[in-house]
């Protein structure tokens, strides 16, 4: 899970944009991945009382990790302890749901564009094939039709008329 949208404060606080690798020997990465995989909001009101994080490992005092299904996580942290109340958590869940909807819609549009492009290429190949087949059949059919006309002039046979209709 790589940070893709962060505030300047995150970079100032952590020195860079955080990345959380699966299986990394880090309690923070384990916490983030567990929230994502279990699709459960993790609220840490006070890092000093957390069994996962330690104040010596992180400059934050409290945090909320909100999973965004199929896309990642939304992490909100503060230097203060107990910085987030129930209203904040509800708003984070609403924001995350809205972000998920927007990301899903963008992904659906990308998939539709890819499918449209693929169908366009297939249609172009089909048109080329149709043109080649049409050209390849036209000449022998014209020859056959001309020979049938000659036969029809020379012989009076209903089978020749049926053959002409078929060509």
């Amino acid at each position: 899970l790589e940070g893709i949208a962060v505030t300047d404060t995150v970079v100032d606080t952590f020195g860079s944009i955080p990345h959380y690798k699966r299986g990394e020997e880090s309690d923070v990465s384990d916490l983030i991945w567990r929230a994502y995989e279990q699709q459960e909001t993790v609220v840490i009101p006070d890092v000093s009382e957390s069994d996962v994080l330690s104040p010596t490992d992180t400059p934050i005092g409290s945090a909320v990790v909100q999973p965004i299904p199929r896309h990642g996580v939304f992490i909100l942290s503060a230097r203060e302890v107990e910085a987030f109340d129930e209203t904040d958590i509800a708003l984070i869940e609403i924001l995350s749901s809205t972000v998920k909807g927007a990301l899903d819609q963008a992904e659906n549009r990308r998939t539709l564009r890819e499918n449209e492009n693929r169908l366009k290429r297939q249609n172009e190949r089909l048109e080329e094939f149709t043109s080649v087949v049409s050209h390849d059949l036209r000449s022998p059919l014209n020859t056959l039709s001309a020979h049938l006309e000659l036969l029809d002039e020379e012989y009076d046979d209903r089978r020749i008329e049926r053959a002409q209709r078929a060509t």
Side-chain angles (χ1 to χ4, degrees):
L1 297 167
E2 297 181 19
I4 57 168
V6 298
T7 63
D8 291 338
T9 306
V10 170
V11 176
D12 293 343
T13 302
F14 295 101
S16 64
I17 297 174
H19 296 331
Y20 305 100
K21 295 182 177 147
R22 185 189 308 257
E24 185 178 76
E25 297 281 330
S26 160
D27 291 337
V28 175
S29 287
D30 288 344
L31 172 80
I32 303 298
W33 274 99
R34 188 172 60 246
Y36 176 71
E37 290 173 340
Q38 295 176 359
Q39 295 296 299
E40 291 182 10
T41 304
V42 175
V43 180
I44 302 173
D46 187 346
V47 168
S48 66
E49 295 177 5
S50 169
D51 57 345
V52 177
L53 301 177
S54 152
T56 58
D57 293 338
T58 180
I60 64 170
S62 57
V64 178
V65 180
Q66 175 66 42
I68 302 175
R70 297 182 334 109
H71 299 288
V73 292
F74 177 73
I75 303 170
L76 191 62
S77 61
R79 291 181 187 271
E80 302 82 28
V81 297
E82 297 184 18
F84 309 106
D85 60 18
E86 288 180 24
T87 302
D88 295 324
I89 294 167
L91 290 172
I92 291 167
E93 290 173 354
I94 292 169
L95 175 63
S96 297
S97 177
T98 302
V99 167
K100 180 188 182 316
L103 291 171
D104 287 347
Q105 187 176 28
E107 187 175 299
N108 290 340
R109 285 183 178 167
R110 181 187 51 79
T111 301
L112 282 173
R113 275 193 308 274
E114 288 172 357
N115 288 341
E116 285 173 356
N117 290 336
R118 182 180 46 80
L119 286 172
K120 185 178 178 181
R121 287 189 305 273
Q122 285 177 341
N123 283 340
E124 288 170 356
R125 287 195 311 265
L126 185 59
E127 285 176 18
E128 286 178 35
F129 174 76
T130 302
S131 175
V132 168
V133 168
S134 174
H135 180 267
D136 287 353
L137 289 176
R138 191 174 299 122
S139 181
L141 284 174
N142 286 340
T143 302
L144 179 60
S145 183
H147 285 290
L148 286 171
E149 281 183 40
L150 292 172
L151 284 172
D152 190 38
E153 289 174 7
E154 195 169 324
Y155 302 99
D156 186 22
D157 190 334
R158 280 186 270 158
R159 292 177 293 183
I160 296 172
E161 288 178 31
R162 283 193 300 234
Q164 283 177 318
R165 282 195 302 273
T167 59

